[in-house]
Amino acid sequence: MEALLASLDGLRGRAEVNIPKILYRIGEQIMTEAKRQTPVDTGNLRASGHVTQPQWVNTWCYVTLGFGGPAGAGAGQTKPVGYAVFVHENLTARHPVGNAKYLERPMLAWASKLEAKIAADLRAELVRTGA
């Protein structure tokens, strides 16, 4: 029993190391699709898309995806893009490139498969590293 518990504790530790990397990688995949759907005028809005580094809060690990705001200024922007939410929510605007809900749509498309993708990626990583 002690060996089993030690093995499970080791798996937990390895999962805690790999889950942030997996979440960040998936976040980047979602952001790539979101940027494809982002309306383009000057390109500043699309360029402001970002994924935060993974953070642990208690037992939860998360990344945040977003456009505009102060994070946009740190992502190669010279100034924040404060109009991202207006472009995202304006369903009546017609854009030559992109569409409204440019972040929400990719997030919803991933929602049903996110848990399975995280589990599969974690399993593959544990197998790859010999767990």
Side-chain angles (χ1 to χ4, degrees):
M1 183 56 87
E2 287 181 28
L4 175 61
L5 292 175
S7 179
L8 290 174
D9 194 44
L11 284 174
R12 177 179 171 219
R14 294 177 71 196
E16 288 176 352
V17 168
N18 286 291
I19 285 175
K21 293 184 243 180
I22 291 166
L23 288 178
Y24 187 79
R25 186 170 53 237
I26 292 170
E28 285 288 335
Q29 291 171 350
I30 296 168
M31 180 55 65
T32 297
E33 180 56 33
K35 286 182 176 184
R36 283 189 196 110
Q37 295 186 30
T38 302
V40 176
D41 183 15
T42 65
N44 287 335
L45 179 57
R46 180 179 281 174
S48 75
H50 60 277
V51 179
T52 65
Q53 291 297 314
Q55 295 183 355
W56 284 97
V57 175
N58 299 317
T59 59
W60 292 90
C61 185
Y62 68 94
V63 295
T64 303
L65 287 69
F67 284 85
Q77 293 295 103
T78 56
K79 60 183 178 179
V81 176
Y83 52 85
V85 70
F86 300 108
V87 176
H88 188 270
E89 297 301 317
N90 186 349
L91 300 176
T92 61
R94 298 294 170 241
H95 305 282
V97 175
N99 51 262
K101 303 292 187 177
Y102 49 89
L103 180 56
E104 183 176 333
R105 289 175 186 186
M107 291 291 292
L108 290 173
W110 270 85
S112 64
K113 59 186 175 185
L114 192 55
E115 188 175 323
K117 175 69 170 154
I118 292 168
D121 285 7
L122 181 57
R123 189 176 308 109
E125 189 61 29
L126 292 176
V127 167
R128 187 186 70 76
T129 59

